[in-house]
Amino acid sequence: MATKVASAGGPLSNPSSSSTVTPSNSTNLPLKLSQLQNLIKRDPPAYKEDYDTQFRRLTSLIDILLLSPNADPSPKLVELIQFIAAVSSSSFKGKESDEVARVLMGLLVGPGNVTGIGDAGNHISASALPLVNDSLPLPALQLHRDIRKACVSALILMRNKGAIPPLILLQLFFQLMSVVPDKNLRESLYHHIVNDIRNINKASKAGKHSPKHGNNGGKRDEKLNRTILSFFHRIVSASANESVHNNNYNNDTSSNNSTSAASFTGEDSPTDFAAKRATQITCDLYRHQVWTDERSIHILATAATHPSPSVMSRALRFFLNIEETMAFDKKSSEEDQWHGVQKVDLHLHSKKTKSRQRMVEKQLKNRQRKQNEREGKTIAEREDKGVEASRKLFPAIELLNDAQGTCELLLKRIKSSGSKYKFETKMLMLNFVTRVVGNHELLLLPLYPLLQRYMGGHQRDVTAILAYAVQSCHEYVPPQEIYGVLKTIAHNFITERCSEEQMAVGINAARAICARVPSVLAGDDEEDAGGKGENGGSTVAISASWDVEAFVRDLAGYAKHRDRSVSIAGRGWVNFIREVYPSLLQGKDRGLVGAGLHKAGEKPLRYGEVRAASGVEGADLLAAYEAAKKKKLEQGEDVESDGDDDDSESGWVEMKGGDESDVEVGDDSDEEVEKEEEEDEIEVDESDEEAPDLVLLGEESNNGDDNGGAENEGDRTLDLSKLSEKERAKLKQEISSTRIFTTAEFVKMRKLVERQQQARRDPRLAAKLKRAIARGEEYDDISDFDSDEEVDSDDDNVHISGAVNPTDIMAEAKRKRMSKAEKLEKILEGRQKWESKERAGGSTNTEKKRKKNFAMSKFSFSARQKVGEKETAKKGKKREQLANGRDAKKRRRKF
């Protein structure tokens, strides 16, 4: 049923015609575009001719607009663009929608720059996508912002309905973002790209089939994601190459052409702006856990080495702060969800109805359900840590492919850059390089002399530089490189001419560096390999580069400094040396723990020295634990069996025929004979073996006789103190190679090793353990059902592996001031929140009554009522006292 329609924007063909004639009712209906859109939605084939007429009208208006792009557009054109885009994408999807998209995209970037519209757009590769051009046709740049905004919104509408493939629109929007000087339009384009990619992966993640988003039957479209990621990588790489070329061109020539791409430097270049947007999009999608694979990390790693400071800074901040940002987002979303459930409208000041009562009950049930889910989630995370840890992402900085090359390139820029990079950018680059060196344990030897250049007492942000120096240290750094860093810290910070805060920061930094590189304290001479000092301890290592013992004792002397911050830092240094190498300290400074470790010969490994593991750590302790438990269990069974023979009914036998000689006591005699034979077999087997089988784990261990157990009691008990180091290593290796440990056994071994280490450093605990061994109660304090739960910490901060916070090495007084300021800020924030009124309007009647003058309310009804209530209460009390037979006010006479 065809119809000729005249829109409100004007007549279709003849200006005099302003009505339509419908064959069904033969009435004149002047229609608007919204009404026509509704009719086309109901019956598209019947109104196909009217749609074609409006499309021809659109093309003619666009041709007229291109003659004078600077002129103010007509509102009819904006409305017509929205109409054609909505109708073509919903009712005439296919050739008509492709033609509309081609016209709108040609209006934005020029008719000759539109390619890939149609079925080929869904299978286009990243290499076929053109990169961002440096310039657009003049009509496209001179379009009015309303027309440009209308075209972009129309294309977004068509993309949301699945009429345009995502890759073609992605390339167009990147080209617009990099050139068009319209901030609002650029923000809308950016948000659309991010939301479109999120919707594509969200629909596939939910398992829904959504052809308009590009997913296929609920599966993640990896091909589309790879194509988009490849496009982003090409943009970043091309921008980096162009920036390097432009810098070389500007250095070689003194004149620049204003029309060429080389005229753009830094942030002014369109390719740099596109690279910046591609980097930011990748960061946001990683933050929302859409792209968390190595491809997105490779894009950001390429952006981290970009010559442009803006692009490079975005990528570096991502690698340094993404874990904290994601943790904060997760925590804030959970808190918002929890606070939203906590608010329940109880309708305390409204009329009580059944519907409101049901609503309140529903909200209360929902709150209780959310609370149970929250508690259950916390318990599940605490109990099942393996599954929860497997769901977490690796730190992004650990997924770098060429960490060594990236650090070398950035370090070269830090050294050679003059005024190109600001100080903040250099600090950002230095933070990233040191973090990567520490996490990947890289050897970047030129880094440490560079850090020494910035370690001045009056250097800006020197605490952060010291934290970066700590980050860059690991056990594979040669001690000769660390000696220079420690000497610089000692000369510039740990001297009496420095302030107390500087001294505390220097001592804390030296302690943190030595904790990461303990081989610095061990020295590099070979003479201390097996020497023994006083009290049986090892001799002190003397380095050829510097006197380690003098350095350690000099810093230990600050433990008795008059300033509190310095003394706290000095005591921290002394405690650290007690644990690592107590022989470096004087006898009076070693303390109880240090004396025990000194006697045991505790010292750090030298550079390159490794303790090779001969088996699973703690396997020998687990064997001794199981042997002791088994012996104790057998002794308990023997006691129970003796009691059963005396009291139970099994001790009585039934007499048959009155003859006692025919009494059958049982098969005890046969069992004793069998057990004695098995004992002899066990003794023969043990004599043939080189190492005794100290843990009886086979079936023969359950068939032993009581007498045999008494005879072989020494074999069943495992005394590790009587074994040498080689024998213990052999036992550990044998047990580790012939046994599969369970998770509970690994937990048990870890606890046994921890107890052994504590006894080694604490003589009192060692003596206590020795007395427990003599009593046979060595393992009574260890239960078989101990859980591996960690104690919950009150610190809610996110701790990133390898990262060093500058506040960790600050002076104690400054940290205290910072914490005090934070507490005061929270108090003031809570006070303001308490004082603020959540409701609208003025004060309530209760507040007005409370603030009213007493003279005005002295004789009010409420005041008189209160007085009457008091008098009535007094009279009632008096009446009660009289009823009891006495007056409280009447004086009693004493006899």
Side-chain angles (χ1 to χ4, degrees), residues 122 274 765 774 861:
N122 294 323
L765 183 60
F861 175 75

Side-chain angles (χ1 to χ4, degrees), residues 347 817 862:
H347 295 284
R817 289 197 301 269
S862 59

Side-chain angles (χ1 to χ4, degrees), residues 791-806:
V791 180
D792 295 335
S793 176
D794 296 335
D795 190 6
D796 296 334
N797 298 328
V798 180
H799 298 281
I800 303 173
S801 61
V804 178
N805 196 349

Side-chain angles (χ1 to χ4, degrees), residues 697-725:
L697 299 177
E699 296 179 355
E700 296 179 354
S701 61
N702 298 327
N703 299 327
D705 187 35
D706 296 338
N707 298 329
E711 295 175 359
N712 297 333
E713 184 177 355
D715 295 339
R716 292 177 180 272
T717 304
L718 179 57
D719 191 1
L720 297 177
S721 61
K722 297 180 180 179
L723 299 179
S724 63
E725 293 293 334

